[in-house]
């Protein structure tokens, strides 16, 4: 006999009570009262708020502009734009594929410069954008360690944080660009800097309280509060694990990039670049670690890893451009093409995404795509104008037990996953 007080606790990580009105069919509150022990249908509806979006959500992405971002010839060209989910091809063959042709948000290069990592804070309608090292495309006013805050309604852009100011000059690396000659752009100095300085993946906690970013220069993950002063005390940071299985160069070849928040955890993507002497393409590996956002503690070992020497097709089939097989990272100009259409695929694990069951999509960015220019003098001492062609990849890893992120993943094989 009752009545009894029933409380729901221990919700799965990342979940909260749903927004349905209390007492709605099939959904009560976290505290309910029932008449007796034989009562049935004592239910609580829960949701992952990160899975919500409207029917036609707005996407934001970065673009890259040649040369000096602040005072160059193209400094008014946009580096951050938005577009609706419904954009792109609208049926028919061919296209059109460029819908819309204008964007409500167009942040010019002279306000942010080259950026890549993006995150959105819903409560303040703010887009955060992190500086990025791309040869032939300079940095903004904030330099290599800048994180910019963009108001997507007005386009107003300001400097949210500068790691080089907070922690000292060179924290995010020294700018390797040649401001007097972006066509050649400091030869191998800028070539080698790609993926090794400035910032990579950027995420924000669902409550909007913390921005997380990957510093490619010191290979640390930074946690920056979105309110209050940003100092070397209030900004936390942690180094990536350097003991990943199979890592070469004593861990010196481990290069982080991807950062993704999912179900209360951060997931960090890392590759072993196999750049050190004696390493081979068999040492090219990709890892995914979890990072506790509260304690900034990494999982003791990767939750998923796979080899990058799997077979691939061609980067491009005309003009003699070579195969798309991943190469070891190179600190100097290299191409596998006999023509001036250059290619030399080098993997950066730059993107992670989870579906509702926990299947994992992995985005691999070609480092060469950020090293080669478009009709640029990339080969030191050679006047040839190189046109770079990138060869990235997208892979799917199927979760072993749907919904159970601890059950592990299996990489796709022969166009099948799971």
């Amino acid at each position: 006999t009752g009545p009894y007080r029933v409380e729901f606790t221990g919700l799965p990580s990342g979940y909260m009570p749903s927004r349905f009105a209390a007492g709605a069919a099939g959904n009560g509150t976290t505290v309910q009262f029932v008449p007796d022990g034989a009562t049935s249908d004592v239910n609580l509806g829960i949701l992952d708020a990160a899975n919500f979006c409207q029917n036609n959500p707005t996407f934001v992405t970065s673009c890259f502009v040649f040369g000096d971002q602040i005072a160059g010839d193209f400094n008014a060209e946009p580096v951050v734009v938005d577009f609706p989910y419904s954009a792109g091809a609208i049926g028919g063959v061919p296209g059109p594929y460029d819908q819309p042709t204008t964007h409500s948000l167009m942040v010019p290069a002279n306000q942010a410069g080259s950026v890549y990592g993006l995150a959105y804070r819903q409560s303040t309608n703010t887009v955060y954008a992190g500086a990025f090292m791309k040869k032939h495309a300079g940095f903004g006013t904030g330099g290599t360690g800048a994180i910019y805050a963009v108001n997507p309604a007005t386009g107003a852009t300001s400097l949210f944080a500068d790691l080089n100011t907070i922690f000292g000059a060179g924290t995010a690396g020294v700018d390797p660009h040649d401001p007097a000659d972006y066509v050649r752009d400091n030869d191998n100095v800028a070539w080698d800097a790609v993926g090794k300085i400035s910032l990579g993946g950027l995420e924000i906690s669902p409550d909007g309280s913390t921005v997380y970013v990957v510093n490619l220069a010191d290979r640390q993950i930074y946690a920056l509060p979105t309110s209050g002063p940003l100092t070397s005390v209030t900004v936390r940071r942690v180094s990536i694990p350097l003991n990943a299985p199979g890592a070469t160069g004593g861990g010196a070849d481990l290069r982080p990039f991807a950062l993704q928040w999912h179900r209360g955890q951060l997931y960090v993507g890392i590759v072993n670049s196999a750049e050190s002497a004696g390493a081979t393409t068999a040492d090219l590996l990709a890892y995914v670690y979890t990072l506790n956002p509260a304690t900034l503690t990494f999982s003791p070992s990767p939750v998923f890893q796979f080899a990058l020497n799997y077979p691939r097709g061609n980067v491009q089939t005309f003009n003699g451009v070579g195969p798309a097989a991943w190469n070891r990272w190179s600190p100097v100009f290299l191409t596998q093409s006999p023509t001036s259409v250059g290619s030399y695929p080098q993997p950066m694990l730059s993107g992670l995404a989870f579906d509702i069951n926990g299947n994992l999509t992995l985005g691999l960015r070609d480092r060469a795509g950020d090293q080669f220019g478009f009709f640029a003098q990339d080969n030191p001492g050679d006047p040839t104008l190189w046109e770079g062609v990138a060869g990235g990849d997208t892979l799917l890893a199927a979760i072993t037990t749907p919904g159970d992120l601890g059950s592990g993943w299996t990489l796709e094989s022969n166009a099948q996953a799971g």
Side-chain angles (χ1 to χ4, degrees):
T1 58
Y4 285 98
R5 174 190 176 103
V6 180
E7 296 188 17
F8 291 84
T9 61
L11 303 185
S13 178
Y15 279 88
M16 63 183 66
S18 73
R19 296 173 183 266
F20 293 112
N27 180 41
T29 62
T30 55
V31 177
Q32 300 180 37
F33 294 90
V34 300
D36 57 55
T39 304
S40 60
D41 294 325
V42 185
N43 301 316
L44 175 71
I46 62 175
L47 59 81
D48 178 357
N51 282 336
F52 167 81
C53 73
Q54 58 271 45
N55 288 332
N56 190 26
T58 299
F59 281 70
V60 177
T61 191
S62 60
C63 306
F64 294 101
V65 174
F66 172 80
D68 185 333
Q69 307 290 287
I70 301 169
D73 292 341
F74 306 103
N75 69 343
E77 293 295 316
V79 293
V80 178
V81 301
D82 67 356
F83 57 94
Y85 179 78
S86 59
I90 55 175
V93 179
Y97 304 111
D98 58 348
Q99 306 298 315
T101 55
T102 60
H103 309 272
S104 58
L105 174 64
M106 299 177 72
V107 177
N110 57 23
Q111 290 190 25
S114 299
V115 295
Y116 182 83
L118 300 170
Y120 178 62
R121 185 182 181 190
Q122 185 177 11
S123 62
T124 59
N125 192 31
T126 303
V127 172
Y128 294 93
F132 183 67
M133 173 59 208
K134 185 178 183 72
K135 194 178 180 187
H136 309 292
F139 291 103
T141 56
T144 62
I147 300 174
Y148 300 94
V150 180
N151 182 333
T154 65
T157 302
S158 60
L159 183 65
F160 164 68
D162 178 6
L163 300 187
N164 295 325
T165 297
I166 298 170
F167 290 96
T171 296
V174 177
D175 185 349
H177 292 296
D178 181 354
D181 183 4
Y182 273 97
V183 174
R184 187 169 289 283
D185 201 17
N186 214 0
D187 294 328
N188 285 331
V189 176
W191 177 282
D192 186 39
V194 172
K196 295 183 179 180
I197 73 162
S198 199
L199 309 179
L202 189 149
E203 274 287 83
I204 191 167
S205 57
D207 63 5
S209 66
T210 309
V211 169
Y212 300 89
V213 69
V214 180
N215 184 349
L216 304 179
D218 62 11
R219 300 184 295 174
Q220 296 191 76
I221 314 300
Y222 286 65
L224 301 91
T226 54
S227 62
L230 295 175
T231 69
S232 58
V233 175
T234 62
V235 176
R236 300 174 295 145
R237 55 181 175 172
V238 62
S239 296
I240 65 166
L242 298 179
N243 60 347
T248 53
D253 291 344
L254 293 173
R255 296 291 171 184
F257 198 119
L259 192 62
Q260 179 67 46
W261 183 288
H262 184 66
R263 301 281 170 84
Q265 290 278 351
L266 284 166
Y267 289 79
V268 181
I270 302 171
V271 297
N272 187 63
S273 68
E275 186 176 337
S276 295
T280 69
T281 54
D283 296 309
L284 288 169
L285 300 165
Y287 312 90
V288 178
Y289 282 84
T290 59
L291 177 64
N292 185 310
T295 64
L296 287 190
T297 303
F298 276 95
S299 54
S301 59
V303 295
F304 182 58
Q305 73 177 77
F306 60 97
L308 292 167
N309 60 344
Y310 57 90
R312 302 180 74 205
N314 294 318
V315 173
Q316 197 169 345
T317 57
F318 68 86
N319 288 341
V321 173
W326 293 117
N327 296 288
R328 299 163 57 201
W329 281 30
S330 175
V332 298
F333 172 87
L334 282 177
T335 181
Q336 56 193 16
S337 167
T339 73
S340 59
V341 181
S343 71
Y344 198 76
Q346 303 154 75
M348 298 192 294
L349 181 50
S350 56
L352 301 170
F354 295 86
D355 69 13
I356 196 168
N357 290 320
N359 296 308
L360 176 59
T361 301
L362 307 110
L364 291 158
R365 186 176 180 88
D366 181 0
R367 181 177 180 238
D370 296 309
Q371 293 172 319
F372 281 103
F374 184 67
F375 295 106
Q377 294 172 326
D378 283 310
N379 191 7
D382 180 0
T384 301
L385 296 176
W386 290 86
E387 178 187 2
V389 179
D393 210 346
T394 306
L395 301 175
L396 178 65
I399 195 165
T400 303
T401 304
D404 182 2
L405 295 173
S407 64
W409 295 266
T410 302
L411 190 67
E412 64 171 89
S413 178
N414 195 28
Q416 294 185 7

